[in-house]
């Protein structure tokens, strides 16, 4: 299904691609200059593949992810192979797109979680007070080799440096993400195991 989706947007099977995401919403603020800075950083990446914009807003809010993707397409210009796919109804499809990608550059916390769970190198984007706590928490989970690009201060030069450094250091980041996975897994499974134990005890006490 994920392969058909990509093919429908001109991405051939086996072709490398990056997953990209940004958002316009009242809780993000003005994205004009931040999106320009992001485009400048992406345009100068040494990456021979597609940039696949993945909208994550299934239901409407104060902005449209698809419209943001189209603005980014215009800013990047024809030198960058760009695909703006339709909003996904199935989270497993979004995860599949992330896990088969060469990397992720995203504001969406969900896409960041998918990248971390698959040890896919990614850049944490953030803007404004709503996203910064999420971004800071994700940085703690993912490790210091996962860059954070704060577009609240939209400087094109900073975006170029951060994204170029990330592209060059993806192999080291993958090793760091795998170490983070080993550290996080016991924490994630512990509450589930405790809940299962509680349910088992409750079931026995009511027989």
């Amino acid at each position: 299904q994920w392969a058909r989706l990509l093919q429908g947007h001109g991405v051939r099977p086996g072709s490398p691609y990056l997953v990209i995401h940004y958002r316009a919403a009242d809780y993000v603020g003005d994205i004009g200059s931040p999106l320009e800075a992001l485009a400048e950083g992406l345009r100068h990446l040494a990456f021979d593949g597609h940039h696949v914009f993945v909208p994550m807003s299934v239901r409407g809010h104060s902005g449209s992810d698809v419209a943001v993707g189209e603005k980014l397409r215009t800013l990047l210009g024809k030198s960058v192979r760009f695909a703006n796919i339709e909003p996904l109804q199935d989270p497993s499809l979004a995860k599949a797109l992330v896990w088969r990608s060469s990397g992720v550059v995203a504001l969406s916390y969900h896409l960041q979680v998918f990248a971390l769970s698959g040890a896919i190198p990614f850049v944490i984007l953030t803007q404004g007070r709503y996203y910064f706590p999420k971004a800071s928490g994700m940085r703690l989970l993912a490790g210091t080799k996962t860059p954070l690009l704060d577009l609240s201060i939209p400087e094109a030069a900073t975006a170029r440096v951060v994204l170029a450094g990330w592209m060059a250091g993806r192999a080291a980041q993958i090793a760091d993400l795998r170490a983070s996975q080993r550290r996080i897994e016991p924490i994630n499974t512990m509450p589930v195991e405790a809940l299962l134990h509680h349910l088992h005890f409750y079931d026995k006490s009511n027989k």
Side-chain angles (χ1 to χ4, degrees):
Q1 189 178 2
W2 64 270
R4 289 197 301 273
L5 175 63
L6 289 176
Q7 280 185 273
H9 289 272
V11 184
R12 295 180 179 177
S15 297
Y17 65 90
L18 299 176
V19 166
I20 312 294
H21 174 265
Y22 213 70
R23 168 164 293 159
D26 51 11
Y27 52 83
V28 177
D30 177 53
I31 68 164
S33 296
L35 204 62
E36 290 174 4
L38 176 60
E40 182 71 7
L42 292 173
R43 190 164 49 245
H44 286 84
L45 274 184
F47 180 73
D48 185 20
H50 283 78
H51 292 57
V52 178
F53 191 89
V54 178
M56 291 297 289
S57 53
V58 177
R59 294 179 176 84
H61 49 75
S62 55
S64 165
D65 285 12
V66 175
V68 173
E70 287 306 307
K71 288 180 182 177
L72 186 58
R73 183 202 298 274
T74 300
L75 289 168
L76 287 171
K78 294 182 179 179
S79 62
V80 175
R81 286 172 285 175
F82 190 88
N84 188 10
I85 67 174
E86 57 271 16
L88 303 177
Q89 303 288 334
D90 183 357
S92 66
L93 183 52
K95 184 174 76 171
L97 287 171
V98 167
W99 280 17
R100 288 162 176 83
S101 73
S102 299
V104 176
V105 180
L107 182 67
S108 164
Y109 188 79
H110 292 85
L111 291 175
Q112 295 167 17
V113 169
F114 294 153
L116 175 58
S117 67
I120 303 300
F122 67 104
V123 177
I124 303 166
L125 300 180
T126 186
Q127 181 184 341
R129 289 183 294 177
Y130 175 80
Y131 275 106
F132 191 76
K134 291 185 173 187
S136 300
M138 177 55 72
R139 183 78 184 284
L140 288 174
L141 287 175
T144 57
K145 288 186 171 59
T146 296
L148 187 155
L149 177 57
D150 186 357
L151 290 170
S152 302
I153 307 170
E155 296 180 355
T158 301
R160 285 198 303 269
V161 169
V162 170
L163 292 177
W166 166 69
M167 183 61 62
R170 284 182 301 161
Q173 187 189 9
I174 290 171
D176 202 41
L177 290 174
R178 287 174 177 160
S180 296
Q181 286 177 331
R182 292 191 293 271
R183 176 172 49 84
I184 294 168
E185 186 176 9
I187 302 172
N188 280 346
T189 57
M190 183 171 56
V192 175
E193 291 169 353
L195 177 61
L196 289 174
H197 177 77
H198 176 76
L199 291 174
H200 180 65
F201 176 79
Y202 180 83
D203 182 61
K204 289 197 300 183
S205 65
N206 282 277
K207 287 184 178 178

